[in-house]
Amino acid sequence: MAKTTEVIEVRDVRKEYRNGAIKTDVLQGISLKVFEGDFLAIMGPSGSGKSTLMHIMGFLDRPTSGSCNFRGKHIDSLSDDELARIRNKKMGFVFQMFNLLARTSVLDNVRLPLFYSGLKGKEELELAKRAIELVGLTDRSHHLPNQLSGGEKQRVAIARAIVNNPEVIFADEPTGNLDSKSGQQIMDVLQKLNNQGHTIVLVTHEKYTAEMAKKMILIKDGKIVYNQKVDHRRFAKDGFEK
Amino acid sequence: MKLTDTFKTAIIGLKTNKTRSALTMLGIVIGIAAVITMNSIGAGAQNLILSRVASMGSNNIFIEPGPWSKRMEKGSMMQSMVEEANITSLKREDAIAIANHPLIEMAAPFTMGVGRIVYLDVDKKSSYSGITPDGQKINENNVILGRDINEDEVKSMAKVVVLGFTLKEDLFGEEDPIGKIIRIQKTNFRVIGVMEEQGVQMFQNMDTYAFIPITTTQKLLLGTDHVKWIIAKAWDEDRIDEIVSDLRLLLRERHSIYNPSGDLAKDDFKIMTQKETADILTSVTGVLTMFLSSVAGIALVVGGIGIMNIMLVSVNERTREIGLRKAVGARKKDILNQFLMEAVTLTFLGGVIGILLGLTFSYLGGVILGNMLDLKWSAPLSLDSILLSAGVAIVIGLVFGIYPARKAAELSPIEALRYE
Ligand SMILES: Nc1ncnc2c1ncn2[C@@H]1O[C@H](COP(=O)(O)OP(=O)(O)O)[C@@H](O)[C@H]1O
Ligand SMILES: [Mg+2]
């Protein structure tokens, strides 16, 4: 059954940070699975380790112990360059702080992942244009980030995340810095992408936003305290209110 | 990532940070331009001196008082010139004896002095030279007005003077000086001729000199019986070496120097041919060129350090950018290549601009120096200095480009992204 194919498996992941003598146990044994077509929300109070977990799931960081698999590939058996390649081909990232290149046009920002994918220039341009169209920013293609609103910036970030047609899109509090109208647009785009078959991992501390996902987990003190399907799923196109 | 993409990324990186790029390039531009200009000016000075030496005639032999010293070989000419001033070993009779050598066409002694020269209300401090008719011939000096000093006047210590072209203008202006009486250091002299204009030769302007029979200068003006130097002219250029050894033996005999081993340091004179003079001057100007080049080299290194500095700062500024690039799939190598390419591009552009500026400054410097010194200045552009400075710039660009690039590429994407 294709619907239940496993994409990501996290098993007993621990992550600690050492700062001299001070040791912080951020994740203390996290296990979870993400399936094809999932829309998973990771919830938890600020500082609970949501981003840390997402980074490990997205192969941006390595766990202190435990294992993380993507499509059966074990993070420990892959080199940094191999992780980079998987991120480049199979994953897309949206960060809370937008993280756009300053003084660089929308088009070039969106194209950035393709620089590292070995595509031909023409193909690259087509993909970038399509991604920009999908987030509705075609008329802003040649604007610079400082000429855009917060919501527009985040849509550029989403376009960049989907430009390589990734299997999984990771979004770390994508609505955190936005007004509700912009947040609604972002969530609408993410839900659409999920409908088109992209698997989505969303980090948020708002219950309201988490209820737009299909499943949610709640992290507290480095452990999962809650993991279940969203009962009454919300849809961004129906309105967004906090 | 393809090379063209890397290049494109580097160009975009440089363009989006124009000020930083311009400052970086400036260091390289100044360094290279300085090396080329300094080198050209040094080489120009060398050419100039050598061409002057060549114009002295290759069968001329120079005899100066004082022993050959190691310092001479190292090119410390000034030092030896100061020391020579007090050495009295060379006499006019030595010149006469040298002239009697069968392979010598003629030999002429010279003296030099400085004194007040007065005509009516014009009172000038001026240099004079004690000469003989043969000396004038060897130096190819000709009069344009009146006549030159003759043998009889040398023999009789006549109080006659031939004026250099500029000196005549200074003393007489448009007036005809022939037959007029001028005073040189309390003695009256009759002007019998004016020399033709010569311009600067060997960095001396003989046009400001007064020319007086050598015997007269010795007796009346200097109160000495030695001479400053002797120039002998050989009949046959090919036998110069043979003549030089003959003259050494002759002068040792005349000066009662027992020196069977031929140790030049034991002599009280030194003999140089045009070739040796040229060698010494070449080493002098070589030192000058080296000095200029090392100044320029320092400029180049400082420029390189500037590049490294700016690259390091830019890594800090751009750590988040690097994190982002790595997050979306850039490998260590891609980051490294991008920074390297930025450094190489800057260095290359800086190199080209630096070379063009260097060539321009060399040319302008030559024109200005030529005008200032009233000389024909040929500043050769040496391919060596261009290749050297461009090579150094490229190496600096690579080395200083790699180091910060490595630092940047080592960061993990998350570390870099979290960077504040
Ligand atoms: N590089 C690091 N060094 C030390 N502590 C860190 C580092 N990264 C994150 N932390 C700590 O880990 C905890 C979890 O961080 P994070 O995953 O960003 O939380 P969340 O995203 O849930 O707000 C925080 O207390 C944070 O201070
Ligand atoms: Mg977070």
Side-chain angles (χ1 to χ4, degrees):
Chain A
M1 229 175 25
K3 194 112 190 6
T4 55
T5 308
E6 197 177 288
V7 183
I8 298 171
E9 187 191 3
V10 173
R11 197 182 299 154
D12 198 26
V13 156
R14 289 164 193 277
K15 180 77 181 177
E16 58 183 51
Y17 290 109
R18 271 175 200 284
N19 218 332
I22 306 159
K23 198 178 95 174
T24 324
D25 290 308
V26 179
L27 302 178
Q28 302 172 22
I30 301 264
S31 299
L32 64 90
K33 287 179 179 178
V34 180
F35 296 94
E36 221 173 73
D38 261 0
F39 193 144
L40 173 72
I42 301 174
M43 290 253 300
S46 183
S48 57
K50 306 182 294 290
S51 297
T52 305
L53 176 61
M54 190 198 94
H55 293 154
I56 290 169
M57 291 167 75
F59 281 5
L60 286 166
D61 204 358
R62 293 177 187 270
T64 309
S65 71
S67 72
C68 179
N69 292 294
F70 178 85
R71 287 266 178 216
K73 288 191 193 101
H74 196 300
I75 193 169
D76 284 342
S77 65
L78 298 167
S79 71
D80 286 351
D81 284 354
E82 285 164 336
L83 295 182
R85 193 172 162 72
I86 291 173
R87 289 196 301 272
N88 183 251
K89 296 284 181 200
K90 308 282 185 191
M91 300 172 176
F93 297 92
V94 179
F95 299 100
Q96 182 173 4
M97 301 299 292
F98 316 129
N99 278 323
L100 301 179
L101 293 183
R103 289 159 292 185
T104 305
S105 73
V106 167
L107 185 64
D108 284 338
N109 262 293
V110 171
R111 233 152 51 151
L112 191 66
L114 302 180
F115 263 134
Y116 303 104
S117 67
L119 290 177
K120 289 206 173 63
K122 227 176 157 184
E123 243 175 298
E124 216 178 77
L125 198 64
E126 274 316 304
L127 287 174
K129 279 182 177 164
R130 209 182 304 158
I132 293 171
E133 196 184 316
L134 219 133
V135 296
L137 285 177
T138 302
D139 56 335
R140 300 277 197 283
S141 293
H142 298 285
H143 284 51
L144 299 179
N146 61 4
Q147 299 166 329
L148 301 176
S149 72
E152 285 168 335
K153 281 184 203 174
Q154 200 58 295
R155 274 146 72 194
V156 175
I158 290 177
R160 184 181 60 199
I162 61 175
V163 74
N164 57 345
N165 193 27
E167 275 192 61
V168 186
I169 297 166
F170 295 90
D172 192 351
E173 311 209 26
T175 60
N177 285 338
L178 303 179
D179 60 276
S180 57
K181 178 87 175 23
S182 305
Q184 181 192 350
Q185 285 177 344
I186 296 299
M187 289 312 297
D188 188 38
V189 171
L190 288 178
Q191 285 186 326
K192 275 187 188 144
L193 288 167
N194 181 239
N195 289 341
Q196 289 167 15
H198 296 280
T199 304
I200 294 182
V201 175
L202 169 76
V203 168
T204 179
H205 64 269
E206 298 164 338
K207 187 156 188 289
Y208 191 90
T209 309
E211 283 171 355
M212 301 208 180
K214 291 175 178 166
K215 291 180 184 171
M216 64 164 116
I217 61 172
L218 178 65
I219 301 182
K220 257 186 193 152
D221 300 326
K223 293 197 174 92
I224 295 178
V225 295
Y226 180 94
N227 180 353
Q228 69 173 74
K229 281 186 77 162
V230 175
D231 288 334
H232 305 284
R233 194 177 179 210
R234 295 173 192 273
F235 291 93
K237 63 177 191 303
D238 298 341
F240 189 90
E241 55 196 78
K242 289 197 181 180
Chain B
M1 201 179 179
K2 292 180 307 248
L3 191 69
T4 48
D5 283 347
T6 312
F7 187 67
K8 225 160 49 186
T9 310
I11 294 293
I12 292 170
L14 293 176
K15 266 195 192 157
T16 43
N17 301 285
K18 287 195 186 69
T19 316
R20 197 186 65 217
S21 309
L23 281 176
T24 312
M25 227 157 67
L26 196 65
I28 285 296
V29 168
I30 290 173
I32 292 183
V35 169
I36 293 176
T37 309
M38 295 293 179
N39 203 288
S40 159
I41 287 176
Q46 193 153 353
N47 268 7
L48 184 75
I49 289 169
L50 292 182
S51 71
R52 296 290 150 183
V53 173
S55 75
M56 290 190 308
S58 53
N59 41 9
N60 285 355
I61 299 166
F62 301 85
I63 300 123
E64 292 185 350
W68 192 277
S69 77
K70 276 267 177 284
R71 275 200 297 270
M72 285 285 296
E73 281 160 33
K74 285 190 193 131
S76 176
M77 295 279 284
M78 291 309 289
Q79 186 70 30
S80 65
M81 260 140 94
V82 170
E83 283 168 6
E84 274 160 24
N86 304 316
I87 301 174
T88 61
S89 54
L90 221 50
K91 309 284 194 242
R92 198 162 69 85
E93 290 71 24
D94 290 330
I96 295 165
I98 288 167
N100 283 334
H101 189 285
L103 293 174
I104 295 289
E105 183 185 343
M106 52 191 168
F110 294 85
T111 60
M112 285 284 173
V114 179
R116 278 176 61 195
I117 301 188
V118 182
Y119 174 68
L120 301 180
D121 54 347
V122 188
D123 186 340
K124 259 185 77 71
K125 197 170 171 210
S126 182
S127 304
Y128 54 83
S129 176
I131 50 128
T132 60
D134 280 349
Q136 295 287 71
K137 273 186 222 144
I138 289 173
N139 284 341
E140 291 168 2
N141 289 346
N142 300 311
V143 295
I144 48 161
L145 205 64
R147 61 170 181 83
D148 210 340
I149 290 160
N150 61 36
E151 286 295 346
D152 288 341
E153 285 160 336
V154 174
K155 273 192 196 110
S156 64
M157 290 185 270
K159 291 181 255 179
V160 292
V161 61
V162 172
L163 300 177
F165 190 84
T166 312
L167 183 59
K168 179 256 164 188
E169 306 263 283
D170 290 347
L171 293 177
F172 291 94
E174 292 302 302
E175 196 183 336
D176 179 7
I178 306 297
K180 301 275 159 47
I181 302 296
I182 62 172
R183 266 158 62 90
I184 303 176
Q185 282 183 211
K186 299 195 173 89
T187 307
N188 285 340
F189 283 80
R190 185 162 49 86
V191 179
I192 58 167
V194 177
M195 305 285 290
E196 85 186 348
E197 193 170 5
Q198 296 174 339
V200 179
Q201 292 201 350
M202 289 300 292
F203 302 113
Q204 292 207 36
N205 190 349
M206 295 305 284
D207 291 341
T208 63
Y209 274 67
F211 298 87
I212 300 167
I214 188 166
T215 47
T216 319
T217 62
Q218 288 179 315
K219 178 90 177 168
L220 294 175
L221 300 178
L222 296 165
T224 58
D225 67 342
H226 64 270
V227 301
K228 188 96 176 154
W229 64 76
I230 295 169
I231 303 179
K233 187 172 184 187
W235 284 113
D236 185 355
E237 186 186 330
D238 297 337
R239 296 176 72 178
I240 288 269
D241 289 345
E242 181 189 337
I243 298 168
V244 168
S245 1
D246 277 2
L247 295 188
R248 288 211 167 97
L249 294 178
L250 175 72
L251 287 176
R252 277 172 203 152
E253 195 186 313
R254 289 183 55 80
H255 296 185
S256 314
I257 294 169
Y258 178 69
N259 188 0
S261 63
D263 178 2
L264 298 184
K266 285 187 185 163
D267 292 340
D268 63 358
F269 59 87
K270 48 187 166 284
I271 301 184
M272 280 182 292
T273 59
Q274 182 212 30
K275 189 177 161 298
E276 286 164 308
T277 313
D279 288 348
I280 287 171
L281 287 173
T282 305
S283 74
V284 173
T285 53
V287 170
L288 177 79
T289 307
M290 256 171 60
F291 171 74
L292 290 178
S293 299
S294 42
V295 169
I298 290 169
L300 196 58
V301 169
V302 169
I305 291 172
I307 284 203
M308 182 171 81
N309 224 334
I310 288 165
M311 281 296 182
L312 275 173
V313 170
S314 92
V315 169
N316 289 341
E317 281 173 3
R318 294 168 68 184
T319 302
R320 290 171 72 95
E321 173 190 335
I322 289 163
L324 179 67
R325 287 179 184 277
K326 293 192 85 163
V328 302
R331 291 161 303 169
K332 210 178 283 180
K333 203 175 76 188
D334 296 323
I335 300 294
L336 204 81
N337 285 346
Q338 179 194 340
F339 272 70
L340 199 62
M341 192 66 92
E342 286 190 17
V344 169
T345 307
L346 277 186
T347 314
F348 179 78
L349 281 181
V352 169
I353 296 173
I355 288 173
L356 291 179
L357 267 187
L359 297 184
T360 312
F361 286 152
S362 299
Y363 175 75
L364 290 180
V367 169
I368 291 168
L369 278 172
N371 278 342
M372 246 163 55
L373 300 173
D374 195 17
L375 301 163
K376 200 171 169 302
W377 182 278
S378 73
L381 294 165
S382 88
L383 190 62
D384 282 359
S385 73
I386 295 174
L387 289 180
L388 179 87
S389 57
V392 169
I394 286 167
V395 169
I396 287 173
L398 288 176
V399 171
F400 291 174
I402 282 173
Y403 174 67
R406 286 197 87 87
K407 199 182 159 206
E410 288 305 322
L411 298 169
S412 95
I414 286 310
E415 270 169 0
L417 269 177
R418 278 181 181 268
Y419 199 87
E420 294 295 320

